[in-house]
Amino acid sequence: MGTKTISGKGFVYIVDDDPAVRESISLLVRSAGFEVIPCASIDEFQNKYHPQQLCCLVLDIRLPDTSGLSLQDRLSSTSPSIPIIFVTGYGDVQTAVRAMRMGAVDFLEKPFCEKLLLERVSEAMEKAALGHVRADADRRLVTLTEREAEILEFIVRGFSTKEIAAEIFRSTKTIEAHRRSIMRKLDVSNLAEMVRIAMSATVPIGVG
């Protein structure tokens, strides 16, 4: 896979086997300030795609190597944070419903409204950014021990060090030590950042 990193407003992959369509969508999306990575096939997309990128995918339904829905199925388990906008000249209700149920941002039939596509790309990038924030928070939270997660939950709920110590029958020095460890593992420097990470995550940190 490629090694491009996050740049500007994000990357938009455009996967379509029609060179004219690929070029027209690329020009349109670039005009909105996004980096564009055009791909003629799913194989080319998979060779260029990097999971750490802030990105979305404009994907044709019918492609020579496999269907866009097949790629959506694959990405749902390997890269669930990449939002997909389907574009197709062969749309049908059943296919559209399946795509949307699997989490597609939209299902647009060619010829589509350029303004609408740009709106959907912007929505997709906002969704991708939120997904990156949540994934980053999850990665940090899973480094905590069970006790640290418990203390973090008390902190998020507004408990003071003294109150936490009384709740779990530990000394304030012990709570402070755990608090320092939590901040180190979460890579934060203050209480506000600690709470933001906890509130952004999808993994549970509930008090037992």
Side-chain angles (χ1 to χ4, degrees):
M1 288 187 179
T3 57
K4 285 190 176 182
T5 54
I6 296 173
S7 173
K9 296 172 71 174
F11 291 92
V12 180
Y13 287 90
I14 299 168
V15 184
D16 197 301
D17 62 320
D18 186 327
V21 172
R22 205 164 56 244
E23 180 62 19
S24 65
I25 297 178
S26 295
L27 290 171
L28 176 65
V29 174
R30 283 195 186 99
S31 73
F34 296 100
E35 291 278 349
V36 173
I37 305 177
C39 304
S41 67
I42 288 177
D43 284 343
E44 184 178 357
F45 162 75
Q46 291 179 318
N47 287 332
K48 292 180 176 179
Y49 172 63
H50 192 282
Q52 297 306 312
Q53 289 174 332
L54 176 61
C55 63
C56 71
L57 174 60
V58 178
L59 178 62
D60 193 10
I61 284 288
R62 293 191 179 182
L63 293 160
D65 43 0
T66 186
S67 74
L69 290 175
S70 296
L71 178 60
Q72 183 186 33
D73 288 341
R74 256 179 277 166
L75 291 174
S76 67
S77 58
T78 61
S79 302
S81 64
I82 178 169
I84 299 175
I85 303 160
F86 280 104
V87 292
T88 180
Y90 308 96
D92 63 76
V93 174
Q94 185 176 1
T95 302
V97 169
R98 179 185 171 191
M100 298 302 287
R101 281 180 175 171
M102 287 290 291
V105 174
D106 209 339
F107 190 95
L108 306 178
E109 290 191 51
K110 302 173 185 176
F112 46 79
C113 171
E114 293 185 349
K115 181 182 178 182
L116 179 59
L117 176 60
L118 289 180
E119 288 176 354
R120 293 298 179 263
V121 167
S122 294
E123 289 173 16
M125 293 307 301
E126 290 176 4
K127 184 177 180 180
L130 179 60
H132 272 255
V133 168
R134 288 174 171 169
D136 177 64
D138 287 348
R139 282 192 294 270
R140 299 191 200 195
L141 283 181
V142 295
T143 65
L144 303 182
T145 65
E146 185 176 347
R147 175 63 78 188
E148 288 168 346
E150 181 184 26
I151 291 171
L152 176 59
E153 174 65 13
F154 279 118
I155 292 172
V156 170
R157 291 167 57 187
F159 282 61
S160 67
T161 297
K162 186 176 181 180
E163 289 170 334
I164 297 172
E167 285 286 334
I168 65 174
F169 308 105
R170 294 290 187 275
S171 69
T172 56
K173 285 186 177 180
T174 298
I175 302 304
E176 287 293 347
H178 279 304
R179 181 166 173 159
R180 289 192 296 271
S181 177
I182 293 168
M183 295 184 72
R184 184 180 69 254
K185 289 182 178 180
L186 297 185
D187 192 24
V188 297
S189 58
N190 57 59
L191 176 63
E193 291 180 31
M194 185 192 301
V195 173
R196 179 183 60 80
I197 293 294
M199 297 296 288
S200 298
T202 61
V203 295
I205 56 167
V207 176

